[in-house]
Amino acid sequence: MKPKPHGTIALLAERGLSRFRADPIEAFRFSSDAQRRFVACLSEFDETALQAANQAGKTTIAAYAYVAMSRGCGLLDAEALPLLGTPNVIGVLVKGREMAKESVIKMYRQAIGAWPHHLEKNGNDIAAIWLQPNRSRSDEWRDWSCIRFFVEGGQSVAGMRLDAVHADEPPHWPTWQELRMRGRANRRFPRSITFTPIDKREWRPLRDDFVGCERPEGRDGKIVLRMSIYDNKALSQAHLRSIEMASKGPLQKAKLYGDYVDLTGTNPFDAKGLELWEGRCVPGVVVEGITPGGYPFDYEVWGKPQEGEGYLVVADPSAGIEDEAHDHDPAGIVVVARGSKTVVARYNGYMSSRDLGWLGAKLAKEWNRGL
């Protein structure tokens, strides 16, 4: 086959770029299965937390998904999107105006491209982007959908009504709790947080709120997804190696894999050993109930009691106090098979010592009258 002249190749490339700028949503393709799963979860769950590495594509996928929803697109790279109706109002919570200008706002503008839009500015800062819906016949930007950027601590969100909301990086938790209430009556209100967990002061409230949501089925309408830098198929091997070298240090696990990192103290356990343990972990079956004292509980079980096996039930009581800052440790119960030396059931939560004793006795009876 005769090769094309360099001028022809350059012309084809320019045409491709022009089509991309004209409609980035139509040209968008997922760079990982995790990105596709994130978009699917926007329709399946009320709230999606995407725990991801740096450069894994977390801000990219959120920006393209929310711009597509703002326009009223039904699909993004053949994956169904929530239909919000248009025009709509989408809120985006950012850490700071200057940081957002070079990250999340920049990515939203890339996802918009040359599609008809209007920039609403506050001085030199972009406060909102008005975007023409696909089916709109109006050239008046005030009739279009609006993507509005909120800076943490910069403005109140009370009283607003939104159709969807996205937080870039772990949000200020009281602000996020307020944003959760900003949906419209009897309307779907997709919410998401895309974050790399580096600062414990920021990620701890998020992690605590999403406990148990790592399972494929999620929990209480919420789900946690994970995305490492190695999931991003758009990155070359050479670039991955350069990131591995540049990220060396105590934050590397967060930057490469999206793992929670806490630099406030030294972990007393061997990191490699913990990784081996984690690799063997699988979700259990959740059992729910209410104690005689009125405490709701749920615990995980792995399998059923085996004939001839002995079991050990270990209970660790707490003060029974669940405070917002979680300064009080939760109670816990672990049921261990004495022969195979495996954990077969586990409870972790807040209840009184009396009810913890009741739950421990209940589990002991179920597991062959365990010790």
Side-chain angles (χ1 to χ4, degrees):
M1 180 177 179
K2 186 177 179 180
K4 292 183 174 66
H6 290 298
T8 304
I9 295 173
L11 181 60
L12 291 172
E14 180 58 35
R15 286 177 180 172
L17 288 172
S18 296
R19 286 196 295 269
F20 178 82
R21 286 191 290 265
D23 192 349
I25 298 302
E26 179 65 27
F28 177 82
R29 296 296 178 266
F30 295 112
S31 65
S32 67
D33 292 336
Q35 283 191 340
R36 184 178 291 277
R37 177 62 178 147
F38 172 81
V39 170
C41 286
L42 293 176
S43 297
E44 295 176 25
F45 297 90
D46 297 326
E47 196 162 308
T48 303
L50 181 58
Q51 183 180 338
N54 290 135
Q55 298 190 41
K58 63 183 187 300
T59 305
T60 300
I61 187 55
Y64 276 83
Y66 279 78
V67 166
M69 287 190 287
S70 180
R71 284 175 43 180
C73 299
L75 300 172
L76 181 64
D77 190 11
E79 191 67 51
L81 287 163
L83 295 176
L84 308 181
T86 57
N88 54 57
V89 181
I90 291 176
V92 181
L93 185 63
V94 299
K95 285 293 184 187
R97 190 68 68 183
E98 288 302 315
M99 183 180 77
K101 189 184 300 182
E102 295 303 319
S103 58
V104 64
I105 293 179
K106 182 178 180 180
M107 189 55 64
Y108 269 82
R109 295 189 68 181
Q110 178 179 306
I112 292 168
W115 190 264
H117 64 280
H118 169 79
L119 300 181
E120 178 186 327
K121 291 192 173 184
N122 183 4
N124 293 324
D125 298 324
I126 296 175
I129 303 177
W130 297 75
L131 191 61
Q132 186 179 40
N134 291 1
R135 298 184 179 180
S136 174
R137 297 181 179 180
S138 174
D139 292 328
E140 170 55 52
W141 61 266
R142 292 179 181 85
D143 297 333
W144 298 350
S145 295
C146 179
I147 299 174
R148 187 163 295 279
F149 299 96
F150 300 98
V151 179
E152 287 188 357
Q155 62 206 105
S156 173
V157 298
M160 291 198 67
R161 282 291 168 251
L162 302 170
D163 295 284
V165 66
H166 164 222
D168 186 58
E169 300 303 344
H172 176 246
W173 205 246
T175 302
W176 184 252
Q177 290 176 310
E178 181 62 34
L179 281 169
R180 281 174 165 171
M181 306 303 296
R182 297 300 98 214
R184 303 183 192 277
N186 301 319
R187 296 277 295 275
R188 180 155 187 80
F189 184 39
R191 308 181 296 273
S192 69
I193 304 171
T194 54
F195 70 107
T196 300
I198 290 178
D199 190 328
K200 184 179 181 179
R201 294 167 298 181
E202 295 180 349
W203 58 246
R204 181 171 178 174
L206 190 162
R207 183 199 64 181
D208 293 346
D209 190 81
F210 279 81
V211 168
C213 299
E214 300 87 356
R215 302 182 183 91
E217 69 272 18
R219 181 180 180 184
D220 299 331
K222 299 181 295 184
I223 191 169
V224 175
L225 304 178
R226 294 290 299 272
M227 185 163 65
S228 82
I229 196 169
Y230 303 102
D231 292 321
N232 190 348
K233 305 307 180 187
L235 300 180
S236 68
Q237 291 299 314
H239 188 67
L240 288 173
R241 286 193 295 271
S242 70
I243 294 174
E244 289 170 345
M245 295 299 295
S247 65
K248 283 186 176 180
L251 298 176
Q252 188 176 52
K253 291 294 184 182
K255 293 180 177 180
L256 295 182
Y257 300 99
D259 290 351
Y260 286 109
V261 173
D262 177 16
L263 300 184
T264 58
T266 302
N267 193 327
F269 298 101
D270 174 69
K272 293 295 183 182
L274 290 174
E275 287 179 10
L276 291 173
W277 288 355
E278 184 181 27
R280 298 200 302 266
C281 292
V282 294
V285 176
V286 178
V287 179
E288 298 180 340
I290 298 179
T291 69
Y295 288 88
F297 65 84
D298 60 71
Y299 59 86
E300 288 182 287
V301 297
W302 292 266
K304 297 180 179 180
Q306 299 298 309
E307 185 177 352
E309 176 67 279
Y311 295 93
L312 177 68
V313 181
V314 181
D316 180 12
S318 71
I321 301 171
E322 183 176 10
D323 57 293
E324 289 188 5
H326 283 184
D327 290 330
H328 295 83
D329 290 335
I333 298 176
V334 177
V335 182
V336 181
R338 300 171 70 181
S340 62
K341 296 180 174 60
T342 56
V343 174
V344 295
R346 176 181 180 268
Y347 164 77
N348 184 259
Y350 293 88
M351 64 173 62
S352 69
S353 297
R354 179 184 293 272
D355 283 296
L356 188 75
W358 172 87
L359 181 58
K362 175 180 180 299
L363 290 171
K365 291 176 183 176
E366 290 176 1
W367 293 90
N368 296 351
R369 301 188 63 82
L371 178 64

